Amino acid sequence: DISLLSKLKANVGVTRVPSTGLVNFAFRAADSKWGFMLVYGVGDVRPQVCFFLHLGRDCLLPLAPNGPSVFETARVWCVNAGIEIDRVELIADGGIGSCCYAFPNVDALSKRVSDRYGDDACEEVFLRDKKVNPPNAGGIAISLNNLVDLEFARAFEGIRIIDSNLGNFCTACYGHGADHDVTKRLLSSSARGDGLRRDLIVASFDFSGMEFLET
């Protein structure tokens, strides 16, 4: 029972967690950030659904004023499915890091951040003193992790958040200690226009025989 909210470019996917068997997702890793969210209903010791979420800038911070983020879309899906959410857990270790994700001008984006979260949030999202790797060197670094945290807390206000495992592994980086040389890049993506391969991650959640502890 998998439903995607877009046929061509899905930003949200969801599957009911089966009592046995695997839940599999595949997604492109470089130059973006993706995550999984487990949703527990009231009285549940195991999650009811597993969401697959694109955690890119515009998915977290919609262009339309007061537009729904992917987290808000997921919450509405649960309401429509009759799930009374008790707690949620986010797993998003890996994605483009602030070492590689930057823009030369963030004035318009800063306004969107401050309008949604308040002026203080801009200091969390825009790391102006951070050195950025090519090809975005010289730009203002953006922390998707901090933006994820802000929107996750906003979208699930009043809901218990078990954890948000965001990690700091950059999938678009040139590599640990490598010179800024495209041939030494840790991962590469044709989305960057460098003509190199796309990167694919396949994640499996095996819920069969799994013991969930009451939390």
Side-chain angles (χ1 to χ4, degrees):
D1 177 23
I2 297 178
S3 60
L4 298 178
L5 302 188
S6 169
K7 292 182 179 179
L8 298 179
K9 183 181 178 183
N11 290 319
V12 182
V14 58
T15 180
R16 291 277 188 172
V17 175
S19 56
T20 59
L22 295 173
V23 174
N24 295 316
F25 289 102
F27 54 94
R28 182 171 59 83
D31 302 323
S32 190
K33 190 171 184 68
W34 296 83
F36 300 92
M37 185 175 70
L38 302 179
V39 177
Y40 298 78
V42 174
D44 291 340
V45 295
R46 57 179 293 134
Q48 286 201 34
V49 292
C50 175
F51 282 94
F52 154 64
L53 304 168
H54 180 200
L55 300 175
R57 179 192 68 245
D58 293 339
C59 293
L60 298 166
L61 192 64
L63 288 167
N66 300 315
S69 67
V70 288
F71 292 130
E72 291 172 311
T73 300
R75 185 167 182 172
V76 169
W77 188 96
C78 289
V79 170
N80 292 339
I83 300 171
E84 185 178 356
I85 304 175
D86 176 66
R87 58 198 188 280
V88 291
E89 180 175 10
L90 181 65
I91 304 161
D93 188 1
I96 187 167
S98 56
C99 54
C100 292
Y101 190 46
F103 288 92
N105 188 308
V106 295
D107 290 348
L109 188 57
S110 293
K111 186 177 186 311
R112 287 162 61 191
V113 170
S114 59
D115 286 349
R116 199 170 180 94
Y117 310 111
D119 293 338
D120 291 343
C122 287
E123 293 185 8
E124 297 180 50
V125 175
F126 306 109
L127 311 181
R128 296 178 182 273
D129 296 329
K130 188 177 182 67
K131 183 179 179 181
V132 179
N133 292 330
N136 296 321
I140 297 172
I142 297 174
S143 172
L144 278 181
N145 275 0
N146 289 348
L147 188 56
V148 168
D149 267 338
L150 285 167
E151 183 57 28
F152 193 42
R154 176 185 180 276
F156 289 98
E157 184 177 3
I159 300 294
R160 186 153 58 100
I161 294 175
I162 299 175
D163 203 357
S164 55
N165 307 289
L166 300 183
N168 57 8
F169 179 77
C170 179
T171 54
C173 195
Y174 279 77
H176 299 288
D179 294 329
H180 297 316
D181 178 349
V182 69
T183 63
K184 297 180 181 179
R185 187 177 296 165
L186 184 64
L187 295 176
S188 57
S189 169
S190 58
R192 290 186 103 147
D194 54 25
L196 301 178
R197 63 184 175 81
R198 288 181 181 270
D199 302 290
L200 192 71
I201 288 178
V202 177
S204 291
F205 290 88
D206 186 355
F207 293 102
S208 59
M210 196 169 178
E211 294 184 6
F212 293 88
L213 302 178
E214 192 79 56
T215 58

